[in-house]
Amino acid sequence: MAGVLIGIWATIRFSLFAPAPPANAEHLCEIFREHPAWYDYARSSQDRWGTPIATQMAFVYYESSFRSHAQPPRKRLWGWLPWFRISSAYGYAQALDPAWQDYLRANDGSWYAVRTDMEYALDFIGWYNHLTNRHLDVAYSDPYQLYLAYHEGRGGFSRRTFDEKPAIVGLAKRVRNRAFRYDNQLSTCEQEFQCWRWYQFWPFCSVPG
């Protein structure tokens, strides 16, 4: 019975009540004004793992367009019958099943840590990039190479599989450009989202110490 209730709760929480994609995904300030909790999640991931807020959000922009239940298209059997999906990527961060299970095991994940929740999607991105930084020495300030390693996997990145994939190289460049643009935008408005104390209010906020 408990398992059934948990399943029902999770369905309601992460499907029916999933936030809509932001109305203006081109400007990070507007994204966080519409979904202020997303700033808190991105800030927490940055503090824990090191990936800048703007880079995390640029990843999500290109991975899922901020759609909580994004999935790759299905293959077509005989040209028309819906068949298996081309990969197990799912959620905001398009995390693959094996990588997500590794993340859960490494972080004591439980049933409530799901790929359709922005909090855990951003933490996953931060965790994955932390391993890329640690094992491949890719700087957190280099969203281009971070994304190549994210998309191709660290093994594929080491083998330079992207050299044969000009479309992926082009995508990584767009991620880099958006990350830098988001970072510039955030610098103009971040103080709005730093009212961490009950007595603080914008524009008189401070970074949490």
Side-chain angles (χ1 to χ4, degrees), residues 96 98-100 102-103 106 124-138 145-162:
L96 297 172
W100 184 254
D102 287 345
Y103 164 75
F124 171 83
I125 290 171
W127 167 80
Y128 196 95
N129 289 341
H130 169 73
L131 295 181
T132 297
N133 170 265
R134 189 172 72 183
H135 296 309
L136 301 177
D137 199 30
V138 176
Q145 293 200 75
L146 285 175
Y147 187 77
L148 286 175
Y150 188 84
H151 190 279
E152 297 297 285
R154 284 181 291 276
F157 180 84
S158 296
R159 297 191 302 274
R160 299 187 63 86
T161 55
F162 52 86

Side-chain angles (χ1 to χ4, degrees), residues 23-31 61 66 178 181-182 185:
N24 182 5
E26 300 304 312
H27 202 295
L28 191 54
C29 297
E30 295 303 318
I31 293 173
Y61 179 99
F66 298 101
R178 181 163 298 276
R181 185 160 64 250
Y182 272 176
Q185 293 167 351

Side-chain angles (χ1 to χ4, degrees), residues 7-26:
I8 293 173
W9 181 90
T11 299
I12 294 174
R13 167 66 177 83
F14 298 114
S15 295
L16 300 182
F17 298 153
N24 182 5
E26 300 304 312

Side-chain angles (χ1 to χ4, degrees), residues 9-158:
W9 181 90
T11 299
I12 294 174
R13 167 66 177 83
F14 298 114
S15 295
L16 300 182
F17 298 153
N24 182 5
E26 300 304 312
H27 202 295
L28 191 54
C29 297
E30 295 303 318
I31 293 173
F32 287 150
R33 285 171 184 145
E34 185 173 346
H35 298 292
W38 289 4
Y39 172 82
D40 295 338
Y41 300 152
R43 177 61 188 257
S44 178
S45 177
Q46 174 185 274
D47 291 345
R48 185 181 186 191
W49 301 114
T51 298
I53 291 171
T55 297
Q56 296 174 48
M57 299 301 286
F59 274 36
V60 175
Y61 179 99
Y62 283 106
E63 287 296 295
S64 65
S65 298
F66 298 101
R67 293 177 292 118
S68 61
H69 289 68
Q71 291 180 276
R74 292 183 181 276
K75 294 182 178 179
R76 296 283 175 173
L77 188 62
W78 302 311
W80 63 273
L81 182 65
W83 201 236
F84 298 108
R85 297 189 187 277
I86 60 176
S87 84
S88 61
Y90 185 53
Y92 286 116
Q94 289 294 278
L96 297 172
D97 286 350
W100 184 254
Q101 292 305 314
D102 287 345
Y103 164 75
L104 293 179
R105 283 190 293 268
N107 295 281
D108 298 322
S110 188
W111 58 268
Y112 54 80
V114 294
R115 286 173 281 184
T116 54
D117 189 320
M118 185 65 86
E119 178 178 5
Y120 298 103
L122 293 176
D123 196 66
F124 171 83
I125 290 171
W127 167 80
Y128 196 95
N129 289 341
H130 169 73
L131 295 181
T132 297
N133 170 265
R134 189 172 72 183
H135 296 309
L136 301 177
D137 199 30
V138 176
Y140 294 122
S141 58
D142 188 349
Y144 171 73
Q145 293 200 75
L146 285 175
Y147 187 77
L148 286 175
Y150 188 84
H151 190 279
E152 297 297 285
R154 284 181 291 276
F157 180 84
S158 296

